[in-house]
């Protein structure tokens, strides 16, 4: 007696000390505050006697938990005192209390081999009658609270403890066989399609035959399309208990089935009397379970099987054990409470991560921003500057990961960063992006040529770059050239421009027309046509005529003699040469004489009787005519009377020099 009084004193002192530490270091809010902020459920099973009669009990529940479950009040024996009667008084009171206090409710339990009313157990009903009773029970109970219960334990403890088989001594199994399980889920789903439907059991949280059997059972149900949503881990544990990799891998395989998990009835019993060391050990187990559940996306809730150590099923069920919960007999918090609280608040005490992936898309007087979610963020600060690097002004505080900043000035470049925010504080800024809003633009393009004046020598080529300047215009632009002098070709590379430029090449043949002409480049695309012009000069001199000058000369000794001369000066040897002089016949004058000043390399002939007399001079095959000045090739006429007019007489000189062939022609 004395001994246990001392222990109680020690315990009180320790919890007072812990209470002070918590107050000094952490926000130390009630459990439901941080749980709610994280979208998590921290719950307790409610016993009707203290619920109806103890203010401290009710206040503790109201303050600390955002989920409750009836410890007994929704079991079949409580709800169905007789075959014809339902008694919803306690269950309704709990539901109303939860609603008034903004708490979620777990429904426990629809089909279990324990706490079945005697009228059913001893009633000698047929299989069909038992199915009807089960259906009627589920329809009435689940239907009554339809939409108000987040999760129902539909079937409880169907697996045996020793061999991983079905529990064959169960009332339901004996009357209906294994079918009772899918039937129960089907009925519950019909009664409330929104409620999460659970299979609930104990000692199936980690590895072993029972865990495997539960896993196989729920896998089979999922495979058959039975409407099951979750697995409840009761978690009735003995101190010292720790979460292990067996729990995490079991959770993973359950989650892989698409099912959720809840810790539905947690307690950690200690051999009594407990001491401070054991209470600290117990706190480790509770801390583990909380951390595990928070870190496991499939794990939705942690419910303790009671509130205070003074009111627990443990001492009655496991003689010699007790103190399994978060509050002591005086509703003082235990180390276990602080461990749960610390874990619930751990995630909340960290500032959020820095947002990444920020992009900015300019629009008309606005910029649309989006980014990737940052861990632990509850909202974001969107900040803007008109100078790179800031200083920034916050222009928006969205809770989602996108924001459009409006009312901006077109043509101004803006710089943006985003930081993440939560109750603890603000992350550093994200990387900066910039954008320049623009008035909505009409699609257009223009062409320009650089250079806009191009010279090309005969026999050579020259280029100009055609630039396509686009404004909100994305179509391909097809290019063409017109107004080319004869003997000049234009080639575009590319001819269809999807980018911003094309290289235009002019190639002049050896006989291209010399002089300057205006070439028009036309671009066509997207329903638009645009042009630019190039002044193209084709030059005949220099390399354009191969360094050969050809002049016409008339040597006259009128009225009886004319000599029409082609004089050739070449600065490079000619490897081929052919000269044709055409003279119009004139009455009274004879035509036939011809000579050259080159000599035997030249063959020559004429057609003395034709209307137009053709004189030809040719370089003999295999011969080369070296460089020289004013070599004469002459067509002669002679006679008396009227002098022969030379104006209609022409010459054509074709020659090859430097591997290229040139033609020059003219008249006398
Ligand atoms: C227990 C209650 O806590 C006791 O008050 C009652 O006398 C018996 O049942 N698994 C379950 C719970 O699913 O319903 C049990 O609750 C504990 C074990």
């Amino acid at each position: 007696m004395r001994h246990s009084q001392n222990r109680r004193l020690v315990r009180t002192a320790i919890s007072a000390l812990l209470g002070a530490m918590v107050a000094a270091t952490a926000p130390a809010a009630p459990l439901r505050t941080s749980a709610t902020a994280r979208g998590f459920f921290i719950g307790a099973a409610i016993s009707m006697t203290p619920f109806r009669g103890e203010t401290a009990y009710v206040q503790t529940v109201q303050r600390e938990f955002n989920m409750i479950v009836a410890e007994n009040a929704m079991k079949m024996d409580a709800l169905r005192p007789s075959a014809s009667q339902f008694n919803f008084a306690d269950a309704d009171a709990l539901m109303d209390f939860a609603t008034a206090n903004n708490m979620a409710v777990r429904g426990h339990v629809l089909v279990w081999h324990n706490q079945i009313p005697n009228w059913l157990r001893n009633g000698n009903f047929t299989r069909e009658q038992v199915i009807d009773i089960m259906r009627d029970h589920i329809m009435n109970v689940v239907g009554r609270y339809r939409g108000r219960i987040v999760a129902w334990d539909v079937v409880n403890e169907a697996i045996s403890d020793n061999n991983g088989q079905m529990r064959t001594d169960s009332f339901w199994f004996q009357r209906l066989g294994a079918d009772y399980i899918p039937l129960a889920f089907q009925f519950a789903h019909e009664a409330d399609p929104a409620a999460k439907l659970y299979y609930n059991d104990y000692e199936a949280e980690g590895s072993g035959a029972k865990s495997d059997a539960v896993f196989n059972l729920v896998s089979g149900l999922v495979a058959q399309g039975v409407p099951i949503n979750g697995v409840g881990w009761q978690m009735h544990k003995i101190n010292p208990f720790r979460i292990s990799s067996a729990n995490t891998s079991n959770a993973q395989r359950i989650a892989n089935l698409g099912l959720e998990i809840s810790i539905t009835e947690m307690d950690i019993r200690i051999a009594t009397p407990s001491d401070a060391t054991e209470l600290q050990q117990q706190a480790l187990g509770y801390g583990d379970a909380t951390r595990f559940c928070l870190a496991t996306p499939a794990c939705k809730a942690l419910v303790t099987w009671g509130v205070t150590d003074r009111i627990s099923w443990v001492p009655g069920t496991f003689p010699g054990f007790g103190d399994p919960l978060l509050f002591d007999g005086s509703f003082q918090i235990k180390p276990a409470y602080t461990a749960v609280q610390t874990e619930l608040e751990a995630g909340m005490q960290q500032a959020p991560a820095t947002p990444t992936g920020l992009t900015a898309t300019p629009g008309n007087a606005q910029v649309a921003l989006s980014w990737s979610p940052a861990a632990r963020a509850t909202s974001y600060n969107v900040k803007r500057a008109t100078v790179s690097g800031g200083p920034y002004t916050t222009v928006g505080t969205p809770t989602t990961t996108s924001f459009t900043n409006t009312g901006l000035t077109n043509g101004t470049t803006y710089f943006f960063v985003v930081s993440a925010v939560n109750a603890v504080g603000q992350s550093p800024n994200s990387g900066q992006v910039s954008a320049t809003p623009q008035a909505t633009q009409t699609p257009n393009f223009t062409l320009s040529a650089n250079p806009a004046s191009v010279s090309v020598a005969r026999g050579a080529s020259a280029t100009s770059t055609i630039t396509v300047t686009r404004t909100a215009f994305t179509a391909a632009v097809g290019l063409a050239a017109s107004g080319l002098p004869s003997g000049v070709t234009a080639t575009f590379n590319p001819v269809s421009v999807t980018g911003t430029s094309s290289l235009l090449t002019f190639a002049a043949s050896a006989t291209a027309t010399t002089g300057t002409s205006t070439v028009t480049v036309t671009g066509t695309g997207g329903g638009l046509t645009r042009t630019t012009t190039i002044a193209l000069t084709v030059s005949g001199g220099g390399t354009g005529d191969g360094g050969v000058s050809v002049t016409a000369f008339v040597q006259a000794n009128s009225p009886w003699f004319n000599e029409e001369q082609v004089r050739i000066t070449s600065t490079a040897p000619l490897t081929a040469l052919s000269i044709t002089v055409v003279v119009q016949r004139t009455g009274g004058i004879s035509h036939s004489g011809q000579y050259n000043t080159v000599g035997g390399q030249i063959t020559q002939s004429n057609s003395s009787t034709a209307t137009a007399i053709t004189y030809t001079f040719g370089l003999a095959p295999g011969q080369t005519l070296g460089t020289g000045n004013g070599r004469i090739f002459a067509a002669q006429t002679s006679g008396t009377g009227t002098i022969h007019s030379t104006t209609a007489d022409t010459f054509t000189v074709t020659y090859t020099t430097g591997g290229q062939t040139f033609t020059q022609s003219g008249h006398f």
Side-chain angles (χ1 to χ4, degrees):
M1 195 52 151
R2 268 215 82 79
H3 178 74
S4 89
Q5 256 171 12
N6 281 343
R7 277 196 184 282
R8 202 163 295 133
L9 280 174
V10 168
R11 211 154 57 196
T12 312
I14 286 171
S15 37
L17 188 65
L18 277 166
M21 278 166 54
V22 166
T25 55
L31 304 182
R32 67 177 292 173
T33 306
S34 44
T36 302
R38 306 182 65 155
F40 188 70
F41 292 112
I42 186 78
I46 305 301
S47 163
M48 291 316 291
T49 308
F51 177 77
R52 298 250 188 231
E54 271 192 64
T55 309
Y57 181 94
V58 173
Q59 286 175 345
T60 303
V61 173
Q62 283 172 315
R63 188 183 69 237
E64 298 292 343
F65 299 103
N66 63 355
M67 173 177 265
I68 59 169
V69 59
E71 186 175 355
N72 290 299
M74 291 192 191
K75 290 173 181 170
M76 196 172 185
D77 61 352
L79 294 175
R80 292 298 288 275
S82 74
S84 56
Q85 270 183 304
F86 281 89
N87 179 1
F88 287 114
D90 286 347
D92 282 355
L94 291 179
M95 281 301 315
D96 293 345
F97 172 79
T99 304
N101 289 285
N102 205 16
M103 294 165 168
V105 178
R106 290 197 94 253
H108 177 84
V109 54
L110 298 174
V111 176
W112 186 28
H113 60 276
N114 279 337
Q115 294 177 275
I116 296 173
N118 285 334
W119 63 261
L120 173 61
R121 193 183 293 280
N122 306 327
N124 278 330
F125 295 108
T126 65
R127 175 185 160 88
E128 267 55 51
Q129 286 172 321
V130 172
I131 292 175
D132 279 352
I133 290 166
M134 183 208 267
R135 182 168 200 284
D136 174 65
H137 179 74
I138 291 175
M139 287 298 168
N140 270 285
V141 175
V142 177
R144 183 179 186 87
Y145 301 122
R146 182 185 175 110
R148 298 177 71 192
I149 295 221
V150 293
W152 268 106
D153 290 332
V154 178
V155 174
N156 199 26
E157 302 179 355
I159 300 294
S160 150
D161 287 337
N162 29 39
N163 54 9
Q165 300 301 305
M166 295 288 288
R167 187 188 290 273
T168 49
D169 57 359
S170 152
F171 166 82
W172 300 105
F173 186 87
Q174 289 184 346
R175 297 303 180 90
L176 304 180
D179 283 356
Y180 83 88
I181 297 175
L183 279 175
F185 279 96
Q186 293 293 356
F187 296 152
H189 183 66
E190 268 178 64
D192 185 353
K196 300 290 186 193
L197 304 183
Y198 272 66
Y199 173 79
N200 192 50
D201 214 327
Y202 60 89
E203 287 305 329
E205 298 91 0
S207 57
K210 190 163 179 184
S211 297
D212 288 347
V214 168
F215 176 74
N216 291 338
L217 170 67
V218 298
S219 306
L221 294 175
V222 168
Q224 289 168 52
V226 173
I228 179 172
N229 307 109
V231 176
W233 289 358
Q234 292 187 5
M235 282 282 196
H236 294 294
K237 294 297 174 187
I238 304 171
N239 195 57
F241 160 73
R242 302 301 300 264
I243 287 283
S244 73
S245 61
N247 301 111
T248 49
S249 45
N250 192 28
Q252 189 57 58
R253 67 176 175 170
I254 293 170
N256 289 347
L257 294 175
L259 298 179
E260 57 179 64
I261 294 167
S262 288
I263 296 176
T264 53
E265 305 184 12
M266 185 159 185
D267 48 22
I268 303 178
R269 55 186 181 266
I270 305 175
T272 44
S274 65
D275 63 22
T277 305
E278 289 165 330
L279 292 174
Q280 293 294 346
Q281 282 178 328
Q282 183 187 48
L284 295 176
Y286 269 107
D288 273 11
T290 310
R291 191 166 56 250
F292 157 79
C293 200
L294 288 169
T296 303
C299 192
K300 305 297 177 191
L302 191 161
V303 178
T304 56
W305 203 240
V307 178
T308 161
D309 287 345
R310 184 165 51 76
I311 305 162
S312 159
W313 75 309
V314 165
T317 314
F318 308 100
F321 286 86
D323 298 346
L325 294 164
L326 303 183
F327 293 88
D328 71 10
S330 319
F331 298 103
Q332 295 302 302
I333 62 171
K334 294 168 59 187
Y337 173 95
T338 308
V340 172
Q341 182 186 47
T342 302
E343 294 300 337
L344 283 172
E345 291 183 354
M348 303 303 290
Q349 285 170 19
Q350 259 175 287
T354 306
T356 56
L358 177 62
T359 60
T361 309
N364 185 13
Q366 66 180 39
V367 173
L369 300 155
S370 71
W371 55 93
S372 306
R376 298 179 298 281
T378 51
S379 68
Y380 297 90
N381 286 341
V382 177
K383 304 173 195 180
R384 187 186 73 205
T386 45
V387 177
S388 179
Y392 300 103
T393 306
T394 297
V395 293
T397 55
T399 53
T400 57
T401 56
S402 61
F403 180 75
T404 299
N405 190 202
T406 55
L408 303 178
T409 304
N410 286 334
T412 300
T413 298
Y414 295 92
F415 300 87
F416 294 92
V417 293
V418 174
S419 67
V421 178
N422 68 13
V424 175
Q426 191 179 162
S427 76
N429 290 335
S430 69
Q432 178 184 277
V433 293
S434 67
T436 310
Q438 293 291 356
T440 309
Q441 293 170 319
T442 313
N444 192 17
F445 74 93
T446 57
L447 298 181
S448 58
N450 183 22
S453 291
V454 175
S455 291
V456 60
R458 280 175 157 177
S461 64
T463 62
S464 179
T465 299
I466 307 300
T467 299
V468 180
T469 304
R470 296 166 176 275
T471 311
F473 183 89
T474 53
V477 175
L479 296 176
S482 58
L484 292 166
S486 125
V488 175
T489 59
T491 312
F492 295 93
N493 185 20
V495 70
S496 175
V497 187
T498 51
T500 56
S501 71
S502 179
L503 187 67
L504 166 57
T505 302
F506 292 109
S509 73
T511 57
T513 303
T514 57
T516 299
S517 37
T518 300
V519 175
T520 301
V521 175
T522 304
T524 315
L528 301 178
T529 298
R530 299 287 181 263
T531 60
T532 189
T533 57
I534 297 173
L536 177 66
T537 302
V538 179
S539 57
T543 55
D545 57 12
V548 173
S549 76
V550 174
T551 55
F553 189 82
V554 180
Q555 180 97 41
N557 194 356
S558 63
W560 54 272
F561 181 79
N562 260 357
E563 191 170 288
E564 297 175 43
Q565 299 179 351
V566 172
R567 297 183 177 180
I568 295 180
T569 298
S570 61
T571 55
L574 308 182
T575 52
L577 174 64
S578 138
I579 302 165
T580 304
V581 176
V582 179
V583 175
Q584 304 306 311
R585 179 172 296 280
T586 307
I589 295 175
S590 79
H591 304 265
S592 64
Q594 69 182 113
Y595 77 95
N596 70 79
T597 58
V598 174
Q601 289 155 280
I602 300 296
T603 59
Q604 54 186 40
S605 66
N606 63 71
S607 55
S608 62
T609 59
T611 310
I613 308 102
T614 301
Y615 297 79
T616 61
F617 303 85
L619 189 56
Q623 298 292 304
T624 296
L625 181 62
T627 60
N629 286 329
R631 271 81 55 94
I632 295 171
F633 302 83
Q636 296 171 310
T637 60
S638 63
T640 56
T642 311
I643 192 166
H644 171 76
S645 167
T646 63
T647 51
D649 299 344
T650 60
F651 67 87
T652 303
V653 181
T654 300
Y655 53 92
T656 303
T657 181
Q660 289 202 36
T661 299
F662 302 86
T663 297
Q664 298 190 42
S665 55
H667 58 83
F668 292 92

